[in-house]
Amino acid sequence: MSGPVYTPEELLVRLVAFDTTSYKSNLELIAFVEDYLLQHGVLSARVASPEGDKACLFATIGPQDVGGIALSGHTDVVPVDGQIWDSDPFTLRIGDDDRLYGRGTCDMKGFLACALASVPDYKRRRLKTPIHLAFSYDEEVGCLGVRPMIAEFGRTLPKPRLTIVGEPTSMQVVDAHKGPVRWLVEVTGRAMHSSMAHLGVNAITYAMRLIGELERIEAELPVSARNDRFEPPYATLQVTRIDGGTATNIVPVTCRFGFDVRSVPGLDVSAIERRLITFAEENCLPEMRRIAPEATISIVRANNVPPFGVSAESEIVALTLKLAGQNKTHGVSYATEAGLFQDAGSQAIVCGPGDIAQAHAANEWLARDQLTKCMGFLKRLGDWAES
Ligand SMILES: [Zn+2]
């Protein structure tokens, strides 16, 4: 079976034209990819979102009974709302400067276009190691959409032995990044006229106590898990927003704050959460409840992207360096889905076309030669998978 052969640029035109902003559906794009693959004789499987308005797509080229190497990317893009663009963000524009302008060109439909443009080549080969396509949604809102697909690995979908996450790295090999984990804390005390403060429970006071404990935890982070791949070479913890009280003459009944940990591999973020909960139970709630039995402190994890790090001796590191023609790996400060694949037992790496500096910005662009480089990389991947 021989389906239509497109250049990566032609495919990128098509992919960019689907407005897959994270808060919208990606199903039209998924249907396009499904149909394209089918025309090349490749069956794919959707993993639908719980609401059914979005889906992941998983496909295998080559033997179906062994774990292969996945080309992984997200189909969603960040909003253009509030940004000033020189042209329609969802119409690919080729600049005189050999740059391809459009939302998602860099992050990361360029990689998806290259992976899809390589399908006819992969189909022609007698692959010994299968090449999987693993396309997700809702990456830009906390790496959420890839999780239901990963949950199917080893069940309805084969688990890729290796995974290349094609986020923009300028085709360099990224083997480590920090993981952003966020919590929302809500302290509820008892409101009272401020002249009768002894009968109220001041939520801001107890929030401050919790923040004091977080400050002590933060002070320990530079020594608890170090990793010289990062700047700074340890996890950080910050209270990033706070909101409390009603009026200057009322004992505040609620105080909400959020904090963010930029985790490094090896740091147990759950231990931070447990320590704060224990502190609340021992050093805040008994005192609060002596006056107001209804007092509560809720600590909820709002975002949980694991940090990513793969051992320098891993097969995926050696393979990706060879395919990319590079001799060293890099650590980066932005997060990807790689840690989720890694935690599921698939050795992961990050390598893809485009510079992260252009991601998420107005007039987002991808240099044309990045597509060429990525196609060379994917062709060498085909050679390897055939050998
Ligand atoms: Zn991305």
Side-chain angles (χ1 to χ4, degrees), residues 74 107-108 139-140 167-168:
H74 59 85
D107 186 10
M108 59 178 289
E139 189 273 348
E140 298 290 6
E167 290 276 2

Side-chain angles (χ1 to χ4, degrees), residues 22-281:
S22 306
Y23 60 74
K24 297 184 177 174
S25 170
N26 73 338
L27 293 182
E28 285 182 24
L29 182 148
I30 292 296
F32 167 76
V33 174
E34 230 168 26
D35 182 56
Y36 168 83
L37 292 174
L38 201 58
Q39 291 183 60
H40 286 283
V42 178
L43 289 172
S44 54
R46 290 188 188 200
V47 180
S49 67
E51 299 74 24
D53 59 336
K54 296 172 190 170
C56 291
L57 198 70
F58 189 92
T60 301
I61 305 159
Q64 303 284 326
D65 50 346
V66 284
I69 184 159
L71 300 177
S72 153
H74 59 85
T75 59
D76 61 320
V77 295
V78 294
V80 294
D81 307 51
Q83 296 185 340
I84 298 167
W85 284 65
D86 296 336
S87 56
D88 174 18
F90 300 104
T91 304
L92 190 84
R93 177 171 65 88
I94 303 167
D96 305 332
D97 44 11
D98 263 346
R99 291 173 178 174
L100 307 169
Y101 292 90
R103 173 54 86 226
T105 48
C106 169
D107 186 10
M108 59 178 289
K109 289 177 171 174
F111 179 76
L112 302 184
C114 290
L116 292 172
S118 302
V119 166
D121 174 39
Y122 294 161
K123 271 299 281 184
R124 242 188 339 262
R125 297 170 183 264
R126 301 179 90 85
L127 298 182
K128 290 205 184 82
T129 306
I131 296 174
H132 310 286
L133 301 180
F135 293 180
S136 69
Y137 60 88
D138 279 0
E139 189 273 348
E140 298 290 6
V141 289
C143 295
L144 301 178
V146 75
R147 297 172 202 240
M149 176 164 63
I150 288 177
E152 293 303 319
F153 288 171
R155 293 159 40 94
T156 59
L157 300 174
K159 182 196 285 183
R161 192 162 57 80
L162 309 168
T163 299
I164 296 172
V165 177
E167 290 276 2
T169 65
S170 303
M171 293 311 294
Q172 298 199 306
V173 180
V174 166
D175 65 349
H177 64 65
K178 289 187 179 181
V181 188
R182 294 180 196 117
W183 287 264
L184 295 174
V185 180
E186 182 164 349
V187 181
T188 309
R190 180 182 281 178
M192 192 58 60
H193 192 285
S194 58
S195 64
M196 302 293 282
H198 63 296
L199 299 179
V201 173
N202 188 322
I204 292 178
T205 301
Y206 291 98
M208 279 165 48
R209 236 183 242 187
L210 293 166
I211 290 168
E213 180 66 0
L214 287 175
E215 207 179 337
R216 287 184 284 277
I217 295 171
E218 184 194 353
E220 294 169 15
L221 291 177
V223 288
S224 59
R226 287 190 76 87
N227 189 319
D228 290 330
R229 308 303 310 278
F230 303 115
E231 173 57 32
Y234 47 81
T236 54
L237 186 159
Q238 299 288 304
V239 172
T240 43
R241 63 177 311 276
I242 189 160
D243 169 35
T246 319
T248 43
N249 59 356
I250 302 175
V251 174
V253 62
T254 56
C255 182
R256 296 181 199 90
F257 66 90
F259 68 99
D260 162 282
V261 171
R262 293 270 157 173
S263 172
V264 295
L267 180 79
D268 182 2
V269 289
S270 295
I272 294 177
E273 184 176 303
R274 283 194 301 274
R275 178 164 157 188
L276 191 67
I277 291 172
T278 305
F279 182 86
E281 284 167 352

Side-chain angles (χ1 to χ4, degrees), residues 307-311 314 316 337-349:
F308 166 60
V310 57
S311 136
S314 303
I316 191 70
E337 295 166 336
L340 292 162
F341 283 98
Q342 186 81 12
D343 290 353
S346 179
Q347 271 185 32
I349 202 88

